[in-house]
Structures are given as structure tokens and as C-alpha cells.
Amino acid sequence: MAITLITGPANAGKAELVMDALRSHLARGEEPILVVPTRADADHYLRELAGDRAAIGVRVERFAGLIGEAVLRSGIAEPVIGGLARERLLLALAAGEDPQRARGAQRGFVRALSELLAELQFRRIAPGRLLRALEDWRAADGPDAAPAELGRIYGGYRDALRRLGRLDAEQRAVLALDALREQPALWGRTPVLLYGFDDLTTLQLDAVETLGSVVDAPVTLSLPYEPGRAAFGGRATTFQALAPLLGERGEHHALKARGDHYAPHARRALSHLERSLFEPGAARLDAGSAVRLLEGGGERAELELVALEIASLLGGGMAAEDIAVLVRGAGTSTELLEDVLSGAGVPYALQRRRPIGDASIGAALLGLLRCVPAGDGSDEAEPGGGGELGDLLAWLRAPGLLELPALADRLELRARRAGAQSAAQGRALWEERHWPLETIDRLYEAQARGPLALIERASRELYWLFCAPRRSAAAVLAAEELDEAGALAAGRRAFAELRELARIAPELAPSGARELAGVLEQVSFLSGEGPGPGTVAVLDPLALRARRVRALFVCGLQEGAFPARSRPQPLLSEEERRRLAEVSGLRLGERVDGSQGDQLASERYLLYAAVSRPQELLVLSWHASDDEGQATPRSLFVDDVCDLFEERLLEQRARRALGAVDDRAEDAAGDRRALVGTNGRESTADGTRRSDEPLRDELILAELAARPWSASAMERRIACPVAWFVDRLLRPDEFEPQPEPLARGALAHAVLKDTLEGLRLQTGSGRLRPATVTLARELLEDSLQSRESEHPLAVAPERRAAVRRRLQADLERYLTQAAEADSPLEPSELELGFGFDGSDDRGEASALPALELGGGFTLRGRIDRIDVGSRGEAVVYDYKGKDAPAAARWIRDGKLQVALYMQAAEQLLGLDVIGGLYQPLSGSDMRARGVLDGDSGVELDCVSTDVRERAELAELLAEALAKAREVAEQTASGELRARPQTCAWRGGCQYPTICRCER
């Protein structure tokens, strides 16, 4: 037996020869192993063999499966150390004897170290040989020339594996191949056929040589290669390594290019592309309909063009499984691609690895583990401590954990409004109203018993989290639940590895819950469905090496992404490797992407392999800028393709501007415009309503007609009816803490009430005079101290003292100014409520009835202060922060509160109301603003222009009452129209996603 090497360009019929050889082995009663690069390739060829009734007796494996078979036949029984355990071991070795340094070691360094150790073992370089080579290097170039720790780490790693009785995957593979070399009979005559590989690693070359040259088993290998072609420059090294292995009995079949794989109408263009890509002096042909170019203004625009093209192909009858999209992570966001394809209604299959925290059960477990206190004497060591509020919420929001998921939302609202930021604070708020969160305590107790107990407990919690939403149900997982199952499987594998590590090397296992969470963060699972019938395959370019499609889209052709830039060696750069070989004779392999030239050659082949896959249509796409408008140059590979065809290929490329609206969205908008009724208001096609359409529900309209108004609600309704509807009727819970100005205002109202009532109690009068201002300041300070807990001034504790001092200074300044003004009126009513029946937020009923507005509408409210004179004349005061509107703007700006309160004081209390003033409590000018009857003879500290004649005062109040009645009538009729110009305090829409307005 010998090695059969099949080479040739793409579409030369290499697969046919491989499959013919496989059928020949079957005909002789042998049981061959077909080795392909990916799991999808394995499924594809199993289906093809089953269709030919040749699947029985054939094993289709990936290369790892071939090594597994070699291990089984060579009798190697030592267990393999898991990936997490290996990482923990390398972390410890990299840090030496310092565990703190181990925690701080970068995982990127550990991954690079793992790659280097794998290379050393594949090349069978012993630790002693590496140490001698590094010593020779230091002797030649000085003690700082060579990284001495590499030799120590490698030796310690091999010693640790022997001590633990474990092998790593590289050791096991090498030992298996070496055993087969020593005893070829262990393998026998089982044929091996490798197809779809465009390059071979060191281990794969070793396996081919071992099985074909030493064991003398029949090995058939196909390799895309054609001498003299620039596209195959990156594969010449592999061919030169395989050629000597053929020997005298080996065979080399060099196939010629064939064009019969292409559809007739596309054969001339696509065959020309395959034969001439990267070749100098190639002729230019008409691309016809076989090659198309798409240019988006931004990445989303590019992908929208791709989605529209795919949708058009599907609409024309092409099967989804005959279409593939190639993307590279550096050039295209897979999340954005998923969003665009879903929006376009394109069925797709996209598999990618995602961290376990992306699944709900993974996020919940990580959050739970972070909530467990450290237990090592640190600040987080007490039960219930540790973690942030978000960690606790991530756990509580796990599906099925709470029968009422809204409880977690309510906890978040309470915590944010109270300024709680830690998990311990959040837990305290939870347990004030609900049951104890004993799961955290159980994990804390398990942590105290040691790593094994902690891992066991955490593993049970993960399983319980998965089962929680499926209790008492024989549930069949829906498609959207498969990621949860994948996360569970990945988590249980990780826990099995860690459990074994805790048994054989407890010092390497995570000792605390937070450390365990850090380890689990690195665990990933395979998300999404693989390519199959009825779906467009979204793949990496390397994943389409062994199959063909009718239409292929190559996306993200940007400089730096495709071709990708050269990645330097993370440990022992190319220069260092060359120097090591010069002084010691130890030669480490240069990676394919070791230099820019080799990298470019590799990328050229990758593009060649990709563009040779489609049978009918090739589409290349790129974007001219990122989503922020910064220019992003297209790949020069696009120009290499364009050089093979007439110039109109590039000139006629489809283009889409950055931020363009989808054509179908435009059509839908036109359909919606056609639905506009005679009233000029728009209804949507699905029956939903727009924000400016009137309310028509009879129950809501009846409620609005009978609903009592407040002055603040009326002012909000005037500013924007939609915002009023959301704030006052829908009443969503506030997600953020109470804004500081509101908290400051609430506290100021309460403190001033206490101060004036205390002054009246101790002196018989609540008037502020120079003789009583000192007492008033003392009462103010006492009230601030007692009331602040009811109205927290800031979420951040470090801000509270400063905000309180500022408020106290402003209020003391007001007391001083009011005392100096020496008003002749006595503060008679403080925080006077009217129209409340006990159903309001405070739950208080008022003795006074509501104010009748006319037309059956009523007003209720709470007046901050009413000052009354000896003749029954009264002035209504309303406290403001600093902006006090003048009476001249009340009607225009919809500021009706003081005017309506003046009406209430007059009608409900029988007072002679001579004025209404907004009293600022901060700012440079603290004079009251509003209106005062100049004919009353009462002089107050207010702006002189606010003094009016009695007739003007009466006219202003009548206008305010009429405006209030008009607003109530409009509301009762269901009118609801957005007013973005006046909605927010500084202008702009408060709810742009509801009103479809710009903020």
C-alpha cells in the first residue's frame, strides 16, 4: 500500500476520485474512514453516501475522530486533562509561587503559551532540549536574550501532568502515532481518505506520514494545488512536504481544470475567474449575470443589499440551501447580519460560539456565584455580601425562578430609586418584603467546605435553573430553547472537568464562588443551527471548502479583514525563532502567517477557494464607511476580481447609502399613507394606532370625563397630551431614582411646613420677622435632620451631604429675606389639600371638596401656603425651585396652577384672594412672581410689574378657568396629539419611540 495524492485546481474532479477510491475499498470488503474538515462536511458526505447506498461500512470523521481512532487502536488508556484544568495549571505555572499573580495573569498569555507547548510536543521537543537551547541562546546574546521562564514552565507542565496521571491532547496524539509507528499491526489495513483540506498542520502531516509511509495503510489525500499559479503560492510548502512521502509506490494524480461544474449561462465568466485570478495579463471578459458587486454606505446598508438579493433569489425559485453567505468576524458583525436577515424574512443557519453568560441560565448562575461573599476575610466575607445589584437581578430573572417575574423588576425599581448598588443591599430590600434568598447562603456554606463541595453545589444550581421553567411538564425544546440546552451541556462538561481537577489537584481548583464564576465565564457553547434544507448557510470562508453552492455571497471585503493582516507570534517572534535556530540548532516551525508575504499568499488562496465554489452566481460586497461615516477602504481583492472583467462590472455595482430606508419599508409607508382617513389621521395596516389618533374606547372616555384633575396634570396635558397620557394614565413605574430637583423640592416643602408650624407653636405666629428668624433657622435645621430620610436627596452617598448643605443654605436665605420683608399676612394654611378621598398616593382624605371647573369637571390639589390678613384678604403661595413664571405668561405657557388655586381658596374657604405668587427657593433673585391686587393696599415682596388692578386680576382668573375647562373637554372627547415643541422642559419629545418624533 502507499499514499495516493490527488492535486489540481478547484472543480477539477478531486472529489470524484476520492469517492471512487472509497467505493473501491468498499467493494473489496474494507471499512474505510473518510476524513473531512468540519461537522457540516461530515453530515453532507454521509447523506451523499446514503443516497448512493454506500454509507454502510464507511466512517465519516473529522480529523479529531481519526486521532481518536488511532488512540483507541494504540491502546493508550491514560485520561486526558480537560481544557479548563489545563488552563488552571498553566495559570499557576505562569505565576510561579505567587497565587495573586496567578489570578492576574492574562488569559491571552495562557492561550499563547498553550499554543507554543502544543507545537513543542507535536515536534517531539523534550523540556530538556528546550532548556539547553535557551541556555545556548543566553550564552550567545546575554542573560536577557532568551525567556528563561519558558523552559521552566514547559518542564513544570510535563512534570505536573505525570504527577496527576494525565496526558494533554497533544501528548496523546503524538503517543498514539508513535505507537502505530512502532507496531503498524495495531492499525492494520484500514484505508484512510482525506478530502476538503486545503492545507495540513504539523500533526496532520505526521498522521499522513505515519499511516501511509510507516504503517503502510492505504491513504488517499486530495490537495488543491496547481504548480506555477499565484493563487496556490501559500500551498506550495504543503505540497513539497507531501511529495517525498509518495516514494516509489505512491501515486500522484495531477488533475486539469474542468468547467462542467458551472451552470451553462455562468460557465464562461466563473471559469475565467477560477483560471485567471491573480494571474498577470489576463484578458477581460463580460461578467454577465454571473458576478455582481454590492457597495453599502455602511455595514448595515451593505448587509441590507445582500438580504434583498437573497430574497430576490428565493422569490425566483432558488432553494435556500443552494445559497451561502461567507463572512469573517473582522469584516462583518454576525449580530447585525442576523438582524438584517431576520428583518428581510430570509431563513438562515448560523452557528457561532457564544459565552455561557449569553444564555439565560448561564447569566443567572454567574450572577448567583458573584453574589456569594468571598469568605476569605475580605470586605465581602459576610453572608449576603459580594457582587453587584445586576448580579442579583440576573439570577432572579432566570426563567421559572420566580412565579411572578415582575417581582424582580419591582426590586430593581426600588433599588435604583433607593441608590442600592450592591447585591447585599438588593438582597436586603428583597427580604424586607419577600422570602429569604437562602440559595446564596447554601453556596456560601459549600464554599466554606472546599472546592469540590462548591463545584457540586453550583452544578446542581445550573441544572435546577434549566429545569425551573419546565417543571411538571414533558417539554419538547423549541428552537429558541436550544441555546439553553447547549449552555447546560457546556456547563456540565465544565463542572465535570473542574470536579475531577478538585479531586486530583485541589490547589488548582477554584477556591471561591467568584473565582469559579471567572472560570465559567470562559466556557462557551455552540449556538444556532447548522446548515440544512430550507436555510441559507452563513459560514466562515474555511467552512465551504468541500461543497458547492449555486449562489455565493462574500461579504465584508474590507482592507484588514479580507485579506486579514498578519498576526505576530505572541511568544517567540519569527526573529527570535530564527536566532534560536542559529545559536542552538533547535528549529521551531514558522507559522503560515509568520510574515506578511506568506499571510497574503494564504489569503489569496482563501479568496480563490471561495470564489470557485458557486455554480451560477458570485456576489462580492463591501461598505464604504463605518456607521459613524468614517471611510473604510474596500479590499484590493475586489480590484483583482474586477481586473478580469469589463469595467462596467464595477460601474454597475448596486449601491445603498448610509442610513437608507429599506425599499419594502418605503412601500409599507406608502400603504399606510393610503389608509389615511377623511379626518386626516393615520391608521396602520395592522390595526394599531398612531400617537396622534384620538382615543375612541368608550370605557376610557367615560373614565376621563369623570376623572378629577390636578393642576400639574393639566399643565402636563397642555404641554403635550401624549406625554400626559403616558405619565398620568399609563403611569409606568419610574426606573431611575427620583431626580434630585424633585427630591429637593419635596424635602423643602416638608421642612418649610415644619418650620412655620413650629414657629406658630412656640411664638403664637407663623410670620417670619427679624425677631424670630434665629428660631426659624433652628427649627429648619431640626426638620432637615428628621425629614431627610423620607426624601433622599441623592443616590450617591457622597453627594447627599453637599446637596443637603446647599438646600439648607438656600432655605435659610429665604427665611432671612422673608423676615426682612416682614409681610403683614399670617401663614394660615400649610400644605392644604382639597378634593382628595384617600385614594391618592399619600392615602389622605381632605376635608375640603374638589373645585368645580364647570361642565362636570373637577380639580383637586394641595396648596403649599395661604397667607391671610386681618380683614380676610389672602395670598396663595406656591414654592418653586428657581424659575417663577410671571402672570403675563400664565395663559400662553399653560401655567395655571396658582390661578386655579386662587379660585379654590376663594370658593372653598370663602377668602378674599388678592394675589397668587410663585415663590422661588433658590437662585439669585428670590422675589416672588405672579399677580397681586394693587387696589388691596397690601404690600408684599414681589416684582413691581406683577401688581395689577382688580379688574385685570379677575380677567386673568376667568381666562385660566376657561382654559382649564377647555383642556378637560378636549380630553373627554379623546383628543390626543403629540406636541414635541413643548413636551420636554427644554423642548423636544419626551417619548420619541412612542410618538415617532425626534428628541
Side-chain angles (χ1 to χ4, degrees), residues 18 168 282 345 363 377 400 425 455 511 524 649 719 737 770 779 800 852 898 921 931:
V18 173
D168 63 17
Q425 293 170 323
I455 292 167
S511 59
S524 63
L649 172 65
L779 294 171
R800 290 175 188 162
E852 296 292 336
V898 165
L921 297 179
V931 65

Side-chain angles (χ1 to χ4, degrees), residues 265-274 285-291 645:
H265 70 275
R267 183 172 299 154
R268 187 166 184 265
L270 294 181
S271 180
H272 176 65
L273 174 61
E274 186 275 323
L285 300 185
D286 179 12
S289 61
V291 182
F645 300 102

Side-chain angles (χ1 to χ4, degrees), residues 257-605:
R258 292 165 50 185
D260 53 355
H261 299 287
Y262 300 112
H265 70 275
R267 183 172 299 154
R268 187 166 184 265
L270 294 181
S271 180
H272 176 65
L273 174 61
E274 186 275 323
R275 298 310 304 151
S276 304
L277 185 62
F278 303 123
E279 295 301 312
R284 284 178 175 261
L285 300 185
D286 179 12
S289 61
V291 182
R292 293 200 61 196
L293 305 179
L294 308 177
E295 180 184 57
E299 185 176 357
R300 174 175 284 276
E302 174 199 348
L303 297 180
E304 286 172 343
L305 281 173
V306 170
L308 289 172
E309 286 288 333
I310 295 175
S312 176
L313 293 175
L314 296 176
M318 187 176 290
E321 59 267 27
D322 290 331
I323 305 172
V325 179
L326 300 187
V327 296
R328 304 187 89 175
T332 302
S333 166
T334 52
E335 291 84 358
L336 180 58
L337 179 60
E338 286 181 303
D339 181 56
V340 171
L341 291 179
S342 298
V346 174
Y348 65 91
L350 169 59
Q351 284 189 314
R352 55 192 174 97
R353 300 212 67 84
R354 296 171 57 192
I356 194 172
D358 281 1
S360 60
I361 61 170
L365 180 65
L366 294 177
L368 174 61
L369 290 172
R370 295 189 189 104
C371 290
V372 178
D376 57 1
S378 66
D379 294 339
E380 298 175 350
E382 297 181 5
E388 299 177 353
L389 175 66
D391 299 323
L392 180 66
L393 292 171
W395 173 52
L396 291 176
R397 285 189 169 124
L401 185 68
L402 300 177
E403 291 187 8
L404 294 175
L407 293 178
D409 298 334
R410 294 174 189 170
L411 172 63
E412 182 173 14
L413 292 174
R414 289 185 62 211
R416 289 186 179 277
R417 292 179 67 81
Q421 298 179 349
S422 68
Q425 293 170 323
R427 181 180 180 181
L429 289 174
W430 172 272
E431 293 180 347
E432 283 178 6
R433 299 184 179 182
H434 308 295
W435 59 90
L437 299 178
E438 297 175 347
T439 304
I440 299 175
D441 298 332
R442 288 195 289 268
L443 278 166
Y444 179 74
E445 294 165 0
Q447 176 182 256
R449 295 197 301 272
L452 188 57
L454 173 63
I455 292 167
E456 291 284 0
R457 182 78 232 178
S459 179
R460 288 199 295 272
E461 290 297 334
L462 178 66
Y463 184 69
W464 193 91
L465 286 168
F466 179 79
C467 296
R470 304 169 181 88
R471 291 191 297 264
S472 304
V476 176
L477 296 182
E480 61 271 14
E481 296 179 289
L482 295 179
D483 278 1
E484 299 296 304
L488 173 66
R492 297 189 76 175
R493 286 193 298 269
F495 280 125
E497 286 187 31
L498 294 173
R499 190 182 296 115
E500 180 67 10
L501 182 65
R503 188 181 65 81
I504 63 174
E507 70 281 2
L508 296 178
S511 59
R514 294 182 68 84
E515 189 178 2
L516 177 59
V519 173
L520 293 176
E521 283 177 347
Q522 308 306 310
V523 176
S524 63
F525 64 96
L526 190 63
S527 170
E529 298 182 4
T535 59
V536 174
V538 180
L539 305 167
D540 181 270
L542 288 173
L544 197 69
R545 294 174 292 186
R547 288 173 291 153
R548 297 188 186 91
V549 291
R550 290 178 63 186
L552 178 70
F553 293 77
V554 184
C555 303
L557 284 165
Q558 313 293 143
E559 276 301 305
F562 201 171
R565 295 187 178 93
S566 176
R567 183 170 63 93
Q569 290 278 14
L571 290 176
L572 292 180
S573 66
E574 301 304 322
E575 293 78 7
E576 290 175 326
R577 290 175 180 234
R578 283 194 289 270
R579 184 57 180 163
L580 178 63
E582 290 173 0
V583 299
S584 68
L586 177 61
R587 186 174 180 271
L588 297 179
E590 295 80 10
R591 293 188 338 194
V592 173
D593 60 351
S595 66
Q596 183 60 39
D598 291 339
Q599 171 72 4
L600 183 57
S602 178
E603 293 289 293
R604 280 175 174 166
Y605 172 78

Side-chain angles (χ1 to χ4, degrees), residues 857-874:
F857 303 110
T858 60
L859 180 82
R860 66 183 181 184
R862 188 167 279 104
I863 304 174
D864 293 345
R865 198 176 93 208
I866 302 177
D867 288 6
V868 181
S870 58
R871 301 190 306 275
E873 68 275 26

